[in-house]
Amino acid sequence: MDRLDHVDAAIQFLDALGIERAAFVGNSMGGQTSLRLATEHPERISHLVTMGPPVGRMPSLFGAGDGPSEGLKVLIEAYRDASPENMRRLVEIMCYDKACFATPELCDARSQAALARPEHLANYVAGLPQGAPLPRWVDPALLPGITVPTLLIHGRDDRVVSFESSLFLLANIPDSRLVLLNRCGHWAMIEHAEEFNRLVIDFVRGNPGDE
């Protein structure tokens, strides 16, 4: 197994726990991993829920034309220098309500956690030229083959991954629906936790799929 292959890691996790099928809920990179899993191992997934996943390296109508988004550029800089100041910039760009969520306590805690694992930071930065942290992306041509019920949740104010990516997924995954949230950045599950939890619970309960 490629140690960077998140899908293989997820399948091994299911096998270790004896779980045949599961609902996958993924934010950002986790959403991309869940999309790949749904296309490559459809027998192991019952429901698909994504929040702000990147689709891949493709032309963008709404995103910046000079490479990574504004948010991703800040994220990369925070991995290169995980100072409290850079973590503050990262948390602020991840959310819409900065006063509520980008607290000094959270920024300091994230900085301390990152600095405690310098080898992780170094591996991330060193792997960027090779596509880290996602060396493999979902094949967009396979998206129409996803048959499980799919819920796409995205913040309209997401500065890391434009909601354009979820519009693309909505157009290509047959059994999908999209909830686009105003006053919401890249962390829908944090900024709108109560609504997010209700949406996911109702979706899984109300869409049994082919189980």
Side-chain angles (χ1 to χ4, degrees):
M1 183 195 77
D2 184 341
R3 66 186 179 88
L4 292 179
D5 194 313
H6 303 177
V7 169
D8 281 352
I11 294 298
Q12 289 195 11
F13 180 75
L14 291 178
D15 290 344
L17 295 180
I19 299 174
E20 186 62 31
R21 300 177 75 208
F24 275 78
V25 183
N27 169 242
S28 196
M29 182 169 59
Q32 168 66 208
T33 298
S34 300
L35 288 165
R36 258 194 65 210
L37 190 143
T39 62
E40 298 176 16
H41 300 276
E43 75 284 356
R44 306 304 299 269
I45 182 170
S46 63
H47 301 78
L48 173 61
V49 181
T50 66
M51 305 89 76
V55 175
R57 297 173 177 84
M58 60 178 57
S60 172
L61 291 176
F62 306 142
D66 62 345
S69 68
E70 177 188 12
L72 285 176
K73 290 175 182 176
V74 172
L75 184 148
I76 291 170
E77 184 58 32
Y79 268 78
R80 288 183 171 137
D81 174 12
S83 65
E85 175 59 22
N86 278 341
M87 281 299 170
R88 180 190 62 78
R89 294 177 59 231
L90 176 59
V91 173
E92 285 185 348
I93 211 164
M94 289 284 175
C95 59
Y96 175 84
D97 190 344
K98 300 172 182 57
C100 181
F101 295 100
T103 63
E105 293 78 12
L106 175 60
C107 299
D108 287 343
R110 288 183 67 96
S111 175
Q112 292 173 21
L115 292 172
R117 297 296 301 272
E119 73 282 4
H120 175 66
L121 299 174
N123 286 339
Y124 180 94
V125 173
L128 288 172
Q130 289 77 46
L134 283 173
R136 293 180 59 192
W137 293 74
V138 68
D139 181 352
L142 299 180
L143 293 174
I146 295 178
T147 59
V148 296
T150 300
L151 173 63
L152 313 166
I153 300 175
H154 215 123
R156 190 191 71 84
D157 307 288
D158 192 335
R159 296 159 68 189
V160 181
V161 179
S162 168
F163 66 85
E164 177 184 0
S165 68
S166 286
L167 292 175
F168 180 85
L169 294 173
L170 180 70
N172 284 276
I173 300 176
D175 188 8
S176 63
R177 64 283 289 148
L178 168 64
V179 177
L180 190 62
L181 299 170
N182 261 328
R183 298 181 177 180
C184 180
H186 196 54
W187 288 343
M189 66 289 183
I190 295 175
E191 290 200 82
H192 296 268
E194 184 176 342
E195 182 173 6
F196 172 81
N197 291 334
R198 184 176 68 251
L199 285 168
V200 173
I201 291 171
D202 290 348
F203 166 69
V204 173
R205 286 177 175 171
N207 294 273
D210 58 0
E211 292 183 295

